[in-house]
mmCIF file of all heavy atoms in Angstrom:
data_model
loop_
_atom_site.group_PDB
_atom_site.id
_atom_site.type_symbol
_atom_site.label_atom_id
_atom_site.label_comp_id
_atom_site.label_asym_id
_atom_site.label_seq_id
_atom_site.Cartn_x
_atom_site.Cartn_y
_atom_site.Cartn_z
ATOM 1 N N LEU D 717 -0.497 8.423 2.620
ATOM 2 C CA LEU D 717 0.666 7.658 2.194
ATOM 3 C C LEU D 717 0.366 6.876 0.919
ATOM 4 O O LEU D 717 1.177 6.823 0.004
ATOM 5 C CB LEU D 717 1.105 6.699 3.298
ATOM 6 C CG LEU D 717 2.246 5.770 2.886
ATOM 7 C CD1 LEU D 717 3.520 6.555 2.701
ATOM 8 C CD2 LEU D 717 2.439 4.664 3.877
ATOM 9 N N GLU D 718 -0.818 6.258 0.858
ATOM 10 C CA GLU D 718 -1.135 5.406 -0.289
ATOM 11 C C GLU D 718 -1.082 6.162 -1.604
ATOM 12 O O GLU D 718 -0.623 5.647 -2.613
ATOM 13 C CB GLU D 718 -2.531 4.797 -0.135
ATOM 14 C CG GLU D 718 -2.529 3.609 0.787
ATOM 15 C CD GLU D 718 -3.883 3.379 1.392
ATOM 16 O OE1 GLU D 718 -4.881 3.563 0.682
ATOM 17 O OE2 GLU D 718 -3.936 3.043 2.588
ATOM 18 N N GLN D 721 2.502 6.773 -2.433
ATOM 19 C CA GLN D 721 3.097 5.480 -2.737
ATOM 20 C C GLN D 721 2.774 5.048 -4.162
ATOM 21 O O GLN D 721 3.614 4.528 -4.877
ATOM 22 C CB GLN D 721 2.489 4.526 -1.721
ATOM 23 C CG GLN D 721 2.902 3.119 -1.759
ATOM 24 C CD GLN D 721 2.257 2.399 -0.577
ATOM 25 O OE1 GLN D 721 1.958 2.991 0.456
ATOM 26 N NE2 GLN D 721 2.027 1.135 -0.718
ATOM 27 N N LEU D 745 9.366 2.867 1.600
ATOM 28 C CA LEU D 745 8.387 1.835 1.953
ATOM 29 C C LEU D 745 9.056 0.684 2.689
ATOM 30 O O LEU D 745 8.428 0.034 3.522
ATOM 31 C CB LEU D 745 7.668 1.331 0.704
ATOM 32 C CG LEU D 745 6.764 2.373 0.059
ATOM 33 C CD1 LEU D 745 6.151 1.831 -1.213
ATOM 34 C CD2 LEU D 745 5.667 2.810 1.023
ATOM 35 N N GLY D 746 10.336 0.458 2.396
ATOM 36 C CA GLY D 746 11.079 -0.583 3.089
ATOM 37 C C GLY D 746 11.083 -0.364 4.589
ATOM 38 O O GLY D 746 11.082 -1.305 5.375
ATOM 39 N N ARG D 747 11.041 0.894 4.977
ATOM 40 C CA ARG D 747 11.020 1.206 6.405
ATOM 41 C C ARG D 747 9.713 0.794 7.053
ATOM 42 O O ARG D 747 9.613 0.702 8.269
ATOM 43 C CB ARG D 747 11.135 2.719 6.613
ATOM 44 C CG ARG D 747 12.438 3.319 6.251
ATOM 45 C CD ARG D 747 12.272 4.797 6.484
ATOM 46 N NE ARG D 747 13.383 5.576 6.002
ATOM 47 C CZ ARG D 747 14.339 6.036 6.798
ATOM 48 N NH1 ARG D 747 14.310 5.780 8.080
ATOM 49 N NH2 ARG D 747 15.306 6.763 6.300
ATOM 50 N N MET D 748 8.687 0.613 6.219
ATOM 51 C CA MET D 748 7.377 0.267 6.763
ATOM 52 C C MET D 748 7.271 -1.234 6.987
ATOM 53 O O MET D 748 6.269 -1.714 7.449
ATOM 54 C CB MET D 748 6.282 0.663 5.780
ATOM 55 C CG MET D 748 6.425 2.034 5.240
ATOM 56 S SD MET D 748 5.621 3.190 6.296
ATOM 57 C CE MET D 748 3.974 2.942 5.762
ATOM 58 N N ASP D 749 8.306 -1.947 6.569
ATOM 59 C CA ASP D 749 8.266 -3.403 6.669
ATOM 60 C C ASP D 749 8.571 -3.811 8.107
ATOM 61 O O ASP D 749 9.585 -4.416 8.392
ATOM 62 C CB ASP D 749 9.290 -4.000 5.686
ATOM 63 C CG ASP D 749 9.225 -5.512 5.680
ATOM 64 O OD1 ASP D 749 8.145 -6.048 5.961
ATOM 65 O OD2 ASP D 749 10.261 -6.144 5.408
ATOM 66 N N ARG D 750 7.717 -3.408 8.996
ATOM 67 C CA ARG D 750 7.900 -3.703 10.413
ATOM 68 C C ARG D 750 6.551 -3.952 11.034
ATOM 69 O O ARG D 750 5.600 -3.233 10.767
ATOM 70 C CB ARG D 750 8.515 -2.477 11.104
ATOM 71 C CG ARG D 750 10.012 -2.513 11.221
ATOM 72 C CD ARG D 750 10.518 -1.139 11.562
ATOM 73 N NE ARG D 750 9.984 -0.699 12.849
ATOM 74 C CZ ARG D 750 10.733 -0.513 13.926
ATOM 75 N NH1 ARG D 750 12.023 -0.752 13.889
ATOM 76 N NH2 ARG D 750 10.208 -0.098 15.043
ATOM 77 N N LYS D 751 6.489 -4.951 11.841
ATOM 78 C CA LYS D 751 5.250 -5.211 12.570
ATOM 79 C C LYS D 751 5.599 -5.511 14.014
ATOM 80 O O LYS D 751 6.701 -5.980 14.302
ATOM 81 C CB LYS D 751 4.513 -6.401 11.950
ATOM 82 C CG LYS D 751 3.197 -6.003 11.328
ATOM 83 C CD LYS D 751 2.469 -7.172 10.757
ATOM 84 C CE LYS D 751 0.989 -6.828 10.695
ATOM 85 N NZ LYS D 751 0.208 -7.833 10.018
ATOM 86 N N GLU D 752 4.685 -5.232 14.893
ATOM 87 C CA GLU D 752 4.907 -5.530 16.308
ATOM 88 C C GLU D 752 3.906 -6.575 16.762
ATOM 89 O O GLU D 752 2.716 -6.469 16.467
ATOM 90 C CB GLU D 752 4.691 -4.268 17.148
ATOM 91 C CG GLU D 752 5.807 -3.265 16.997
ATOM 92 C CD GLU D 752 5.547 -2.004 17.814
ATOM 93 O OE1 GLU D 752 4.471 -1.907 18.450
ATOM 94 O OE2 GLU D 752 6.423 -1.137 17.816
ATOM 95 N N LEU D 753 4.434 -7.532 17.492
ATOM 96 C CA LEU D 753 3.580 -8.545 18.106
ATOM 97 C C LEU D 753 3.554 -8.223 19.601
ATOM 98 O O LEU D 753 4.601 -8.185 20.240
ATOM 99 C CB LEU D 753 4.215 -9.917 17.844
ATOM 100 C CG LEU D 753 3.461 -11.145 18.275
ATOM 101 C CD1 LEU D 753 2.109 -11.228 17.578
ATOM 102 C CD2 LEU D 753 4.289 -12.396 17.936
ATOM 103 N N TRP D 754 2.379 -7.923 20.115
ATOM 104 C CA TRP D 754 2.227 -7.600 21.531
ATOM 105 C C TRP D 754 1.676 -8.834 22.247
ATOM 106 O O TRP D 754 0.575 -9.291 21.940
ATOM 107 C CB TRP D 754 1.275 -6.416 21.718
ATOM 108 C CG TRP D 754 1.914 -5.102 21.364
ATOM 109 C CD1 TRP D 754 2.252 -4.671 20.118
ATOM 110 C CD2 TRP D 754 2.292 -4.066 22.274
ATOM 111 N NE1 TRP D 754 2.832 -3.423 20.198
ATOM 112 C CE2 TRP D 754 2.869 -3.036 21.499
ATOM 113 C CE3 TRP D 754 2.208 -3.910 23.673
ATOM 114 C CZ2 TRP D 754 3.351 -1.853 22.073
ATOM 115 C CZ3 TRP D 754 2.686 -2.731 24.236
ATOM 116 C CH2 TRP D 754 3.265 -1.718 23.439
ATOM 117 N N VAL D 782 6.958 -7.308 23.739
ATOM 118 C CA VAL D 782 6.760 -6.812 22.379
ATOM 119 C C VAL D 782 7.870 -7.384 21.501
ATOM 120 O O VAL D 782 9.051 -7.254 21.829
ATOM 121 C CB VAL D 782 6.812 -5.271 22.322
ATOM 122 C CG1 VAL D 782 6.569 -4.785 20.894
ATOM 123 C CG2 VAL D 782 5.796 -4.663 23.281
ATOM 124 N N VAL D 783 7.499 -8.050 20.417
ATOM 125 C CA VAL D 783 8.481 -8.583 19.475
ATOM 126 C C VAL D 783 8.278 -7.869 18.143
ATOM 127 O O VAL D 783 7.178 -7.878 17.590
ATOM 128 C CB VAL D 783 8.299 -10.104 19.265
ATOM 129 C CG1 VAL D 783 9.398 -10.647 18.354
ATOM 130 C CG2 VAL D 783 8.286 -10.834 20.605
ATOM 131 N N ARG D 784 9.343 -7.236 17.646
ATOM 132 C CA ARG D 784 9.229 -6.555 16.341
ATOM 133 C C ARG D 784 9.828 -7.447 15.276
ATOM 134 O O ARG D 784 10.894 -8.020 15.469
ATOM 135 C CB ARG D 784 9.977 -5.230 16.373
ATOM 136 C CG ARG D 784 9.379 -4.280 17.373
ATOM 137 C CD ARG D 784 9.760 -2.840 17.127
ATOM 138 N NE ARG D 784 9.075 -2.035 18.126
ATOM 139 C CZ ARG D 784 9.556 -1.794 19.337
ATOM 140 N NH1 ARG D 784 10.745 -2.275 19.686
ATOM 141 N NH2 ARG D 784 8.876 -1.089 20.203
ATOM 142 N N TYR D 785 9.140 -7.553 14.159
ATOM 143 C CA TYR D 785 9.644 -8.399 13.076
ATOM 144 C C TYR D 785 9.336 -7.765 11.728
ATOM 145 O O TYR D 785 8.582 -6.792 11.648
ATOM 146 C CB TYR D 785 9.052 -9.807 13.183
ATOM 147 C CG TYR D 785 7.556 -9.880 12.997
ATOM 148 C CD1 TYR D 785 7.017 -10.305 11.787
ATOM 149 C CD2 TYR D 785 6.684 -9.521 14.017
ATOM 150 C CE1 TYR D 785 5.640 -10.372 11.596
ATOM 151 C CE2 TYR D 785 5.310 -9.581 13.836
ATOM 152 C CZ TYR D 785 4.794 -10.005 12.633
ATOM 153 O OH TYR D 785 3.444 -10.057 12.442
ATOM 154 N N GLN D 786 9.963 -8.298 10.694
ATOM 155 C CA GLN D 786 9.746 -7.785 9.343
ATOM 156 C C GLN D 786 8.904 -8.781 8.570
ATOM 157 O O GLN D 786 9.384 -9.866 8.244
ATOM 158 C CB GLN D 786 11.078 -7.625 8.610
ATOM 159 C CG GLN D 786 11.911 -6.455 9.079
ATOM 160 C CD GLN D 786 13.245 -6.471 8.386
ATOM 161 O OE1 GLN D 786 14.222 -6.976 8.921
ATOM 162 N NE2 GLN D 786 13.289 -5.942 7.166
ATOM 163 N N PRO D 787 7.662 -8.415 8.255
ATOM 164 C CA PRO D 787 6.770 -9.356 7.565
ATOM 165 C C PRO D 787 7.372 -9.903 6.266
ATOM 166 O O PRO D 787 7.117 -11.062 5.921
ATOM 167 C CB PRO D 787 5.520 -8.520 7.280
ATOM 168 C CG PRO D 787 5.554 -7.423 8.281
ATOM 169 C CD PRO D 787 6.992 -7.148 8.557
ATOM 170 N N SER D 788 8.188 -9.127 5.574
ATOM 171 C CA SER D 788 8.735 -9.625 4.305
ATOM 172 C C SER D 788 9.762 -10.730 4.542
ATOM 173 O O SER D 788 10.050 -11.525 3.668
ATOM 174 C CB SER D 788 9.387 -8.481 3.529
ATOM 175 O OG SER D 788 10.585 -8.093 4.163
ATOM 176 N N ASP D 790 10.184 -12.382 8.033
ATOM 177 C CA ASP D 790 9.806 -13.310 9.100
ATOM 178 C C ASP D 790 8.337 -13.690 8.983
ATOM 179 O O ASP D 790 7.480 -12.832 8.824
ATOM 180 C CB ASP D 790 10.008 -12.651 10.470
ATOM 181 C CG ASP D 790 11.371 -11.992 10.592
ATOM 182 O OD1 ASP D 790 12.362 -12.650 10.265
ATOM 183 O OD2 ASP D 790 11.425 -10.813 11.000
ATOM 184 N N ILE D 792 4.990 -14.910 10.769
ATOM 185 C CA ILE D 792 4.497 -14.742 12.140
ATOM 186 C C ILE D 792 4.462 -16.077 12.890
ATOM 187 O O ILE D 792 4.680 -16.127 14.107
ATOM 188 C CB ILE D 792 3.112 -14.040 12.160
ATOM 189 C CG1 ILE D 792 2.711 -13.730 13.610
ATOM 190 C CG2 ILE D 792 2.047 -14.876 11.454
ATOM 191 C CD1 ILE D 792 1.628 -12.736 13.781
ATOM 192 N N LEU D 809 -2.748 -11.932 22.687
ATOM 193 C CA LEU D 809 -1.818 -11.362 21.712
ATOM 194 C C LEU D 809 -2.528 -10.424 20.748
ATOM 195 O O LEU D 809 -3.726 -10.533 20.513
ATOM 196 C CB LEU D 809 -1.051 -12.469 20.977
ATOM 197 C CG LEU D 809 -1.401 -12.963 19.570
ATOM 198 C CD1 LEU D 809 -0.490 -14.136 19.236
ATOM 199 C CD2 LEU D 809 -2.824 -13.380 19.411
ATOM 200 N N SER D 810 -1.767 -9.466 20.232
ATOM 201 C CA SER D 810 -2.290 -8.587 19.181
ATOM 202 C C SER D 810 -1.102 -8.128 18.330
ATOM 203 O O SER D 810 0.049 -8.237 18.751
ATOM 204 C CB SER D 810 -3.006 -7.375 19.794
ATOM 205 O OG SER D 810 -2.106 -6.611 20.553
ATOM 206 N N THR D 811 -1.394 -7.653 17.128
ATOM 207 C CA THR D 811 -0.309 -7.150 16.287
ATOM 208 C C THR D 811 -0.576 -5.699 15.938
ATOM 209 O O THR D 811 -1.709 -5.225 15.964
ATOM 210 C CB THR D 811 -0.170 -7.931 14.964
ATOM 211 O OG1 THR D 811 -1.371 -7.782 14.230
ATOM 212 C CG2 THR D 811 0.131 -9.387 15.188
ATOM 213 N N LYS D 812 0.494 -5.021 15.632
ATOM 214 C CA LYS D 812 0.374 -3.604 15.278
ATOM 215 C C LYS D 812 1.304 -3.359 14.099
ATOM 216 O O LYS D 812 2.456 -3.763 14.115
ATOM 217 C CB LYS D 812 0.802 -2.765 16.487
ATOM 218 C CG LYS D 812 0.580 -1.284 16.344
ATOM 219 C CD LYS D 812 0.966 -0.591 17.662
ATOM 220 C CE LYS D 812 1.052 0.905 17.495
ATOM 221 N NZ LYS D 812 2.163 1.361 16.662
ATOM 222 N N GLU D 813 0.774 -2.703 13.053
ATOM 223 C CA GLU D 813 1.608 -2.383 11.893
ATOM 224 C C GLU D 813 2.302 -1.050 12.118
ATOM 225 O O GLU D 813 1.775 -0.179 12.790
ATOM 226 C CB GLU D 813 0.738 -2.242 10.650
ATOM 227 C CG GLU D 813 -0.031 -3.484 10.385
ATOM 228 C CD GLU D 813 -0.221 -3.747 8.910
ATOM 229 O OE1 GLU D 813 0.567 -3.223 8.107
ATOM 230 O OE2 GLU D 813 -1.153 -4.480 8.599
ATOM 231 N N THR D 814 3.447 -0.912 11.507
ATOM 232 C CA THR D 814 4.096 0.391 11.524
ATOM 233 C C THR D 814 3.296 1.282 10.585
ATOM 234 O O THR D 814 3.068 0.928 9.435
ATOM 235 C CB THR D 814 5.517 0.290 10.968
ATOM 236 O OG1 THR D 814 6.191 -0.722 11.669
ATOM 237 C CG2 THR D 814 6.262 1.586 11.122
ATOM 238 N N ASP D 815 2.818 2.386 11.069
ATOM 239 C CA ASP D 815 2.133 3.282 10.149
ATOM 240 C C ASP D 815 2.960 4.554 9.978
ATOM 241 O O ASP D 815 4.030 4.711 10.541
ATOM 242 C CB ASP D 815 0.696 3.567 10.593
ATOM 243 C CG ASP D 815 0.649 4.164 11.977
ATOM 244 O OD1 ASP D 815 1.688 4.684 12.431
ATOM 245 O OD2 ASP D 815 -0.418 4.109 12.602
ATOM 246 N N LEU D 816 2.410 5.427 9.179
ATOM 247 C CA LEU D 816 3.135 6.632 8.839
ATOM 248 C C LEU D 816 3.512 7.430 10.082
ATOM 249 O O LEU D 816 4.602 7.987 10.185
ATOM 250 C CB LEU D 816 2.245 7.463 7.918
ATOM 251 C CG LEU D 816 2.963 8.507 7.114
ATOM 252 C CD1 LEU D 816 4.107 7.879 6.351
ATOM 253 C CD2 LEU D 816 1.987 9.151 6.156
ATOM 254 N N GLU D 817 2.590 7.432 11.029
ATOM 255 C CA GLU D 817 2.821 8.176 12.258
ATOM 256 C C GLU D 817 4.083 7.651 12.966
ATOM 257 O O GLU D 817 4.915 8.421 13.430
ATOM 258 C CB GLU D 817 1.592 8.000 13.172
ATOM 259 C CG GLU D 817 1.357 9.130 14.125
ATOM 260 C CD GLU D 817 1.150 10.460 13.413
ATOM 261 O OE1 GLU D 817 0.475 10.502 12.366
ATOM 262 O OE2 GLU D 817 1.702 11.451 13.907
ATOM 263 N N ASP D 818 4.230 6.312 13.012
ATOM 264 C CA ASP D 818 5.413 5.709 13.645
ATOM 265 C C ASP D 818 6.673 6.122 12.898
ATOM 266 O O ASP D 818 7.702 6.396 13.502
ATOM 267 C CB ASP D 818 5.325 4.179 13.610
ATOM 268 C CG ASP D 818 4.149 3.669 14.419
ATOM 269 O OD1 ASP D 818 3.854 4.265 15.463
ATOM 270 O OD2 ASP D 818 3.523 2.690 13.993
ATOM 271 N N ILE D 819 6.552 6.117 11.564
ATOM 272 C CA ILE D 819 7.735 6.469 10.783
ATOM 273 C C ILE D 819 8.116 7.920 11.019
ATOM 274 O O ILE D 819 9.280 8.254 11.196
ATOM 275 C CB ILE D 819 7.491 6.186 9.291
ATOM 276 C CG1 ILE D 819 7.432 4.672 9.124
ATOM 277 C CG2 ILE D 819 8.586 6.776 8.429
ATOM 278 C CD1 ILE D 819 7.424 4.202 7.722
ATOM 279 N N PHE D 820 7.122 8.783 11.076
ATOM 280 C CA PHE D 820 7.400 10.190 11.398
ATOM 281 C C PHE D 820 8.170 10.257 12.711
ATOM 282 O O PHE D 820 9.193 10.911 12.825
ATOM 283 C CB PHE D 820 6.108 10.987 11.575
ATOM 284 C CG PHE D 820 5.422 11.336 10.293
ATOM 285 C CD1 PHE D 820 4.050 11.231 10.179
ATOM 286 C CD2 PHE D 820 6.142 11.789 9.200
ATOM 287 C CE1 PHE D 820 3.404 11.551 9.005
ATOM 288 C CE2 PHE D 820 5.499 12.115 8.018
ATOM 289 C CZ PHE D 820 4.125 11.997 7.926
ATOM 290 N N LEU D 821 7.635 9.536 13.711
ATOM 291 C CA LEU D 821 8.251 9.589 15.035
ATOM 292 C C LEU D 821 9.688 9.075 14.987
ATOM 293 O O LEU D 821 10.601 9.715 15.475
ATOM 294 C CB LEU D 821 7.433 8.774 16.039
ATOM 295 C CG LEU D 821 6.131 9.441 16.478
ATOM 296 C CD1 LEU D 821 5.319 8.509 17.362
ATOM 297 C CD2 LEU D 821 6.418 10.756 17.208
ATOM 298 N N GLN D 822 9.850 7.910 14.354
ATOM 299 C CA GLN D 822 11.194 7.332 14.226
ATOM 300 C C GLN D 822 12.158 8.308 13.581
ATOM 301 O O GLN D 822 13.263 8.529 14.041
ATOM 302 C CB GLN D 822 11.160 6.122 13.290
ATOM 303 C CG GLN D 822 10.728 4.827 13.890
ATOM 304 C CD GLN D 822 10.628 3.782 12.762
ATOM 305 O OE1 GLN D 822 11.433 3.763 11.848
ATOM 306 N NE2 GLN D 822 9.620 2.951 12.835
#
Side-chain angles (χ1 to χ4, degrees):
L717 175 69
E718 280 156 38
Q721 180 175 333
L745 292 177
R747 292 178 188 260
M748 313 272 280
D749 184 28
R750 265 165 62 113
K751 246 181 157 173
E752 287 178 357
L753 185 60
W754 284 70
V782 181
V783 184
R784 297 199 178 86
Y785 64 102
Q786 286 175 264
S788 71
D790 312 311
I792 187 163
L809 101 185
S810 62
T811 62
K812 187 176 168 291
E813 302 214 22
T814 307
D815 58 19
L816 199 53
E817 207 59 40
D818 296 324
I819 291 190
F820 284 138
L821 285 174
Q822 278 174 38

